[in-house]
Amino acid sequence: MSARLASTTGSLRSLSFKILTGLRRAARFIWRAAITVVRLLLLAFLMVLVTAWAISTPKDHPYRVLDPDSRDCNMRIGENGNYASPAWNILAAYGNAENEAALKDEAGHWDTRFQCAIQRHEVPVPSADANNRSNPLGYTLAFLEFKEEGEPFELIKDPHQLFTLNELTDRVSYIERSEWKPITQLEALNAHLRSVEKRTHSDAFGNVVKHSNYVIVFVHGWRHDASIGDGNVTDLRAYAAHVARYLRDRCNAGESEHCGREVTAAYVGWRGARLNETRLHLPFIALGNSVGALLDGDASHCSNGVLPSEKPLCWKNWINSWGDSLASGVATLTLFDRKPVSEYIAPHALMALRKIEQVLDKQPGTKAKQRDNPNKMIVIGHSLGGNMLATALKDHLIKAVRNHPGANAYFYPPLGDLVVLINPAAEASKWTDVQRAVWEKIAFFEGEGDLMAGHRFFPAHQSPVVISVTSAYSWPPGGIRPADCAIAMHDKLSLLGPDLNSPSEMCARYKRFLEAKNPGNSSSMTRRRTPTSAPAGR
């Protein structure tokens, strides 16, 4: 019996030893694995930091501060308000791509001229040539750039030389302030806006038409700046051209108030791009082009990776997407670094926009006369640019709501004629605090106060003063529904044929219509990105 007990005890000891040995080995393996993982994470973090340092954008570096009166810009304004030189149409030949125009047309010195603080562009009619510039679409592009501390940038006389202190003093040494020459981008913009109101033209009936300003201010957001080739600048030019076309169409339709309006797009730039993502992406583009030339063959058989397609993805675009994903991943780390900067700049940007309001005679205290003011001003902010505007205007909006008398009194815009926030990267409190101020003035339930007074807090003809627009990756969410087809196609029923009995049938027939028009791509109806018409961006 004792021998059996001893044998059992020995077996238990042996088993316990094996278990303890296994646990030690497992703990040692887990410890070593944890150390390896930590080392890899530290190495990856170090690589990200080094990469971010290597591709960091310069701090407080302006991109569009060349004096409009300089030789390269040649934007001198005469006494009658007209410019001495014609508008530029170079971008119409290069698909609105600044970098391509600067690279391929070196004789025009466009790499320098695109640095001008004020630029006048035109889109020629398709049949126009150098000697026939009849009736082009024209607009002016201006820039307002801010340092990270909120200070504006001074103009420079050429890309390699600043104005001396004496030269700057001479530009503002006149007794009459109206004779001062601009020394900042804002002053150059305001000088342009004043010149517009001096211009006139005669219509087809010989009537003199006075010109007025239609100003579009765009405040860009995260991962953008005012550099040459930035996508937001490209989109704003396209948007300004669309607005110029709209105003012309309304004028031709008989709405005479639009006939003398000139479009000016003001791009508010700041260091929203902490990193130069293009510099990180270029090696992948070069590698993708090399590998694609060897392996892709006929590129027409490959998908571009952007539009929905059943074709395989080319190696070229596949490798390019790696670079884009890496650049986006590294840039993601800068969001919370850029957000405080956008908020710090907010009051400085608002001050500049108030100066523009004064030139357009839209400053606070004159809002009641705006119906007779021919000048218009729309302010748009995207992403952190929307956060900048929300930060700058929050207190003003709350104060305006609390001071609003109600009783069908008109509520005037806090800035310009309309403020539009596109996907603003701002806390909900910057919006809900304004809503709460409205709720404090309006009774929603019996016993809270006069319910009818709430219906009269804003008049029936009240126009929007602040619009916040957000979007999902796919629009509409969940894809197109039958009711959407009914709304979209109600005035195009002739394209779908007769005898439509329900929205579902309309939608099905609409999909077949698209399939016949563009075989293989009807699925794009339900897999669309948000349209990228300016102002847009990341």
Side-chain angles (χ1 to χ4, degrees):
M1 186 70 179
S2 60
R4 184 179 301 176
L5 179 61
S7 176
T8 303
T9 303
S11 298
L12 289 174
R13 288 177 179 176
S14 176
L15 179 61
S16 299
F17 178 77
K18 290 180 180 179
I19 292 174
L20 289 175
T21 302
L23 290 174
R24 289 194 190 99
R25 290 177 179 175
R28 191 179 299 116
F29 174 79
I30 293 173
W31 174 252
R32 290 176 178 175
I35 292 176
T36 302
V37 170
V38 170
R39 287 175 177 173
L40 290 175
L41 289 176
L42 289 175
L43 179 61
F45 183 70
L46 181 61
M47 291 179 62
V48 169
L49 288 181
V50 172
T51 302
W53 172 80
I55 63 173
S56 179
T57 56
K59 182 180 179 181
D60 294 342
H61 176 74
Y63 298 95
R64 315 278 187 154
V65 289
L66 195 56
D67 182 18
D69 286 351
S70 65
R71 178 187 59 187
D72 291 300
C73 299
N74 195 21
M75 295 288 177
R76 293 182 179 86
I77 303 173
E79 293 183 359
N80 59 356
N82 294 322
Y83 282 92
S85 60
W88 303 340
N89 58 13
I90 181 68
L91 290 176
Y94 291 98
N96 194 21
E98 288 179 314
N99 285 332
E100 186 175 355
L103 181 65
K104 295 184 178 180
D105 195 340
E106 297 181 2
H109 302 287
W110 292 106
D111 56 337
T112 298
R113 300 176 74 180
F114 286 141
Q115 298 178 38
C116 297
I118 302 292
Q119 304 174 11
R120 295 174 58 242
H121 294 275
E122 68 178 18
V123 181
V125 295
S127 59
D129 54 33
N131 299 319
N132 177 23
R133 303 168 69 94
S134 61
N135 212 28
L137 287 173
Y139 61 91
T140 300
L141 179 64
F143 293 87
L144 299 175
E145 297 178 77
F146 294 90
K147 301 177 183 179
E148 293 204 357
E149 293 78 15
E151 297 179 6
F153 288 99
E154 295 177 349
L155 298 175
I156 60 176
K157 64 163 70 174
D158 65 51
H160 308 290
Q161 188 174 6
L162 304 176
F163 284 110
T164 66
L165 182 59
N166 289 336
E167 287 174 327
L168 290 175
T169 302
D170 289 341
R171 295 174 74 90
V172 294
S173 62
Y174 300 96
I175 297 177
E176 292 292 333
R177 187 180 180 91
S178 60
E179 297 181 5
W180 287 10
K181 293 184 178 179
I183 62 174
T184 65
Q185 293 170 311
L186 176 61
E187 291 170 352
L189 170 57
N190 287 341
H192 160 73
L193 296 177
R194 293 188 185 98
S195 72
V196 169
E197 298 184 355
K198 296 179 181 179
R199 290 197 277 273
T200 61
H201 76 272
S202 299
D203 61 16
F205 303 99
N207 300 317
V208 176
V209 179
K210 293 183 178 180
H211 286 208
S212 58
N213 288 290
Y214 195 102
V215 180
I216 308 162
V217 179
F218 177 69
V219 186
H220 73 76
W222 179 44
R223 298 169 68 182
H224 288 276
D225 50 31
S227 59
I228 294 177
D230 186 272
N232 276 186
V233 179
T234 301
D235 290 340
L236 182 59
R237 281 196 301 267
Y239 187 64
H242 281 298
V243 173
R245 174 60 183 269
Y246 167 82
L247 295 177
R248 174 181 293 180
D249 289 346
R250 301 319 304 160
C251 172
N252 294 336
E255 299 180 16
S256 58
E257 65 272 19
H258 297 300
C259 293
R261 282 182 174 151
E262 296 189 26
V263 175
T264 297
Y267 186 91
V268 177
W270 58 288
R271 196 186 179 204
R274 181 69 171 75
L275 306 176
N276 187 337
E277 298 177 41
T278 302
R279 192 182 303 170
L280 183 60
H281 199 180
L282 284 177
F284 289 88
I285 295 177
L287 178 62
N289 291 338
S290 300
V291 174
L294 295 174
L295 302 179
D296 286 338
D298 185 1
S300 64
H301 297 132
C302 300
S303 166
N304 61 9
V306 178
L307 298 175
S309 175
E310 296 179 356
K311 298 178 182 179
L313 192 65
C314 292
W315 275 100
K316 171 184 176 181
N317 296 318
W318 187 277
I319 296 176
N320 286 351
S321 68
W322 296 349
D324 187 58
S325 299
L326 177 61
S328 299
V330 175
T332 301
L333 302 176
T334 68
L335 174 60
F336 296 102
D337 168 62
R338 296 295 88 196
K339 188 172 183 293
V341 175
S342 71
E343 295 170 348
Y344 193 87
I345 296 174
H348 303 274
L350 180 61
M351 185 184 303
L353 299 182
R354 293 293 187 205
K355 293 287 186 181
I356 298 175
E357 276 192 321
Q358 291 179 10
V359 174
L360 302 179
D361 196 23
K362 288 184 173 295
Q363 65 270 31
T366 65
K367 299 294 186 181
K369 301 184 294 184
Q370 292 312 307
R371 294 185 180 277
D372 298 325
N373 188 341
N375 296 316
K376 300 298 176 184
M377 177 180 175
I378 300 176
V379 184
I380 305 169
H382 172 244
S383 180
L384 287 180
N387 178 59
M388 186 185 299
L389 291 176
T391 301
L393 296 174
K394 173 186 169 182
D395 291 340
H396 176 94
L397 280 169
I398 293 175
K399 182 179 178 180
V401 169
R402 288 174 177 170
N403 292 336
H404 187 60
N408 287 326
Y410 198 82
F411 189 87
Y412 292 100
L415 182 64
D417 293 282
L418 177 66
V419 176
V420 182
L421 310 179
I422 304 176
N423 277 348
E427 305 92 303
S429 62
K430 291 178 180 175
W431 188 256
T432 57
D433 286 353
V434 178
Q435 289 180 316
R436 189 172 292 109
V438 176
W439 295 342
E440 291 172 354
K441 302 277 288 188
I442 295 178
F444 287 90
F445 302 100
E446 293 287 350
E448 291 185 346
D450 186 0
L451 292 177
M452 294 306 299
H455 293 280
R456 296 189 297 269
F457 190 68
F458 300 112
H461 62 281
Q462 174 71 52
S463 298
V465 296
V466 178
I467 299 176
S468 182
V469 182
T470 58
S471 62
Y473 178 80
S474 117
W475 185 261
I480 291 183
R481 297 173 290 272
D484 299 320
C485 292
I487 295 172
M489 298 301 297
H490 76 280
D491 59 343
K492 303 180 181 66
L493 297 181
S494 60
L495 297 175
L496 305 182
D499 304 326
L500 290 173
N501 299 317
S502 68
S504 298
E505 185 178 354
M506 179 183 293
C507 207
R509 197 174 298 185
Y510 182 40
K511 291 181 179 179
R512 291 196 297 270
F513 167 77
L514 289 181
E515 177 66 25
K517 185 177 179 180
N518 192 11
N521 283 335
S522 64
S523 60
S524 63
M525 288 179 60
T526 58
R527 290 187 289 174
R528 296 185 297 172
R529 295 192 180 196
T530 302
T532 56
S533 58
R538 295 183 176 91

